[in-house]
Amino acid sequence: MANTKIDRETLRALADEGNETALDRLADLADAAGDVGELNELLDEGCMHAGLLLTRRAVATGDPLELQRISDAGYGEAGIELDRLLEAPAEGHRD
């Protein structure tokens, strides 16, 4: 099979028709480009892969507000990561 590169417009058209693989591929492209805005839009469209990618970014930066927003948008794993972040002992905290 030939290695075919599908352009963004075609992926968008497929995603608009309900193709989840195309939606996931758009999320991968947005992530590679560092386009958090597009990732957020894709999550709002129901792309759970975008939720995963956004959650990874929020965990890496330790951003609880972003994790809450992602969780509220429907990606449950962000809520789990938020709980982990909130349950972690604070730096310099002594018992």
Side-chain angles (χ1 to χ4, degrees):
M1 178 173 222
N3 184 8
T4 304
K5 184 174 180 178
I6 300 174
D7 63 50
R8 185 182 286 286
E9 290 177 19
T10 302
L11 288 170
R12 172 44 59 197
L14 290 168
D16 289 346
E17 293 297 321
N19 187 301
E20 289 186 31
T21 303
L23 202 57
D24 291 350
R25 183 68 182 120
L26 285 171
D28 287 334
L29 293 172
D31 186 55
D35 191 341
V36 175
E38 184 176 1
L39 283 170
N40 283 318
E41 289 173 14
L42 292 166
L43 177 59
D44 290 343
E45 290 179 43
C47 179
M48 293 300 104
H49 186 59
L52 168 69
L53 297 170
L54 286 165
T55 298
R56 285 182 183 168
R57 287 173 174 269
V59 167
T61 60
D63 188 341
L65 295 175
E66 182 65 4
L67 287 168
Q68 183 65 58
R69 191 201 68 73
I70 298 164
S71 178
D72 290 347
Y75 186 70
E77 293 296 318
I80 294 168
E81 292 298 335
L82 175 60
D83 288 345
R84 280 191 194 136
L85 183 64
L86 293 175
E87 291 170 0
E91 289 183 34
H93 177 73
R94 294 184 212 157
D95 284 329

